[in-house]
Amino acid sequence: MSLFDTHCHLDDKRFVDDFEGVLARARAAGVTRIATIGCCNSVETVPRALNVARAHADWVVATSGVHPHDASHWSVPLAEAIVAIAADPLIVAIGEAGLDYHYDNSPRAAQQQAFRDQIALAKQVKKPLVVHTRSAPEDTLAILREEQARDVGGIIHCFSETPDFARAALDMGFVSSFSGIVTFKNAVEVREAARLQPLDALLIETDAPYLAPIPHRGRRNEPAYVAHTADCIATLRGIDPEEVRQRSFENALRVFGLPTGHA
Ligand SMILES: [Zn+2]
Ligand SMILES: [Zn+2]
């Protein structure tokens, strides 16, 4: 029994008070691998997620990138710092990068440029891309296509689109990672996408501290709760929860380029 939380933010300040408890509860819930996402908005913040992974290198890996919310901070020095840190074997992907037209915290032109540049950067360092996309399905697919993101592939994280979007993304080498949203009864399209997604292209994540699944909805999320997402997907598909855990775990190792054969 192994779970891989492929997307959370362990360097978030909401984890500071009980960080060891968060990790202990994850272990107790069967989580044996975590990818902590490095969202930076300055050269100084680039090493933050990697430092968390280094302190727990037996089971935690990290990524590095600029979230669309912070796209207005995108700069050449920041890109260079991400390229430099990406040489570390504990950095398993570039991102999260992408488009968020729901919040529009950065101008859309800036989001698009930072996204395009990070696809190029992922290709340069030969690591997969973690994509954040919200309320921007057409532009996300167009940019992935135009920048030939297929060369590296990666993950559509916190999947919040339609089954058609999942298929189009998979055609370009992007698997879908499902979060606690699948446990929300009104998330009809996302639940349908989780039901239809090929089992060799499905990941699970918490996106903690955000988006706690039922029965924890509305409270702080944490990696232990990824078990609820796995169980919910198993119920939606009518299969054994262990199959969802095992397959999504193997998929995560493959996408992140981590050695297989051990949990
Ligand atoms: Zn995100
Ligand atoms: Zn995230």
Side-chain angles (χ1 to χ4, degrees):
M1 180 184 93
S2 290
L3 290 159
F4 197 139
D5 182 0
T6 63
H7 192 116
C8 64
H9 298 268
L10 289 181
D11 61 359
D12 191 278
K13 53 182 175 303
R14 292 169 71 187
F15 289 128
V16 170
D17 286 346
D18 66 339
F19 190 73
E20 293 307 320
V22 166
L23 293 186
R25 285 191 294 278
R27 291 265 202 205
V31 177
T32 58
R33 286 289 186 121
I34 294 175
T36 189
I37 304 302
C39 290
C40 37
N41 54 19
S42 65
V43 170
E44 293 69 37
T45 50
V46 170
R48 220 167 52 183
L50 178 60
N51 288 339
V52 174
R54 278 184 176 147
H56 305 275
D58 54 329
W59 65 308
V60 180
V61 292
T63 73
S64 187
V66 174
H67 194 285
H69 291 345
D70 292 316
S72 54
H73 296 282
W74 182 246
S75 68
V76 170
L78 195 44
E80 288 171 349
I82 293 170
V83 168
I85 209 169
D88 193 296
L90 283 175
I91 297 289
V92 295
I94 298 301
E96 56 187 296
L99 304 173
D100 194 316
Y101 294 175
H102 177 76
Y103 286 106
D104 276 329
N105 285 349
S106 283
R108 291 186 181 181
Q111 293 188 40
Q112 291 161 11
Q113 192 59 52
F115 187 26
R116 288 183 191 278
D117 288 353
Q118 288 181 92
I119 295 170
L121 198 154
K123 288 161 75 171
Q124 183 188 338
V125 302
K126 298 188 170 59
K127 301 221 170 168
L129 192 70
V130 175
V131 175
H132 171 110
T133 178
R134 182 129 188 236
S135 306
E138 291 87 6
D139 284 6
T140 296
L141 290 176
I143 288 176
L144 288 174
R145 195 171 296 119
E146 287 163 20
E147 302 297 330
Q148 288 159 16
R150 179 197 300 277
D151 292 356
V152 286
I155 300 165
I156 305 296
H157 111 83
C158 194
F159 189 86
S160 59
E161 290 296 334
T162 62
D164 281 349
F165 182 97
R167 259 190 299 272
L170 188 53
D171 282 346
M172 284 190 285
F174 283 78
V175 304
S176 291
S177 179
F178 293 90
S179 69
I181 290 175
V182 296
T183 69
F184 304 163
K185 292 250 175 336
N186 60 353
V188 176
E189 298 265 43
V190 173
R191 287 159 70 93
E192 183 65 358
R195 196 176 68 77
L196 295 173
Q197 183 73 1
L199 259 190
D200 63 356
L202 181 150
L203 305 186
I204 51 176
E205 65 171 75
T206 56
D207 205 9
Y210 313 104
L211 272 173
I214 288 171
H216 304 283
R217 191 173 186 177
R219 297 199 290 273
R220 187 194 70 179
N221 196 3
E222 58 179 69
Y225 301 164
V226 78
H228 298 296
T229 296
D231 291 352
C232 177
I233 292 172
T235 302
L236 290 171
R237 300 178 73 113
I239 60 175
D240 186 346
E242 183 54 30
E243 193 174 2
V244 173
R245 289 168 182 239
Q246 195 56 42
R247 300 293 295 277
S248 61
F249 191 92
E250 290 164 4
N251 296 338
L253 293 180
R254 185 186 74 242
V255 171
F256 287 137
L258 294 166
T260 50
H262 71 92

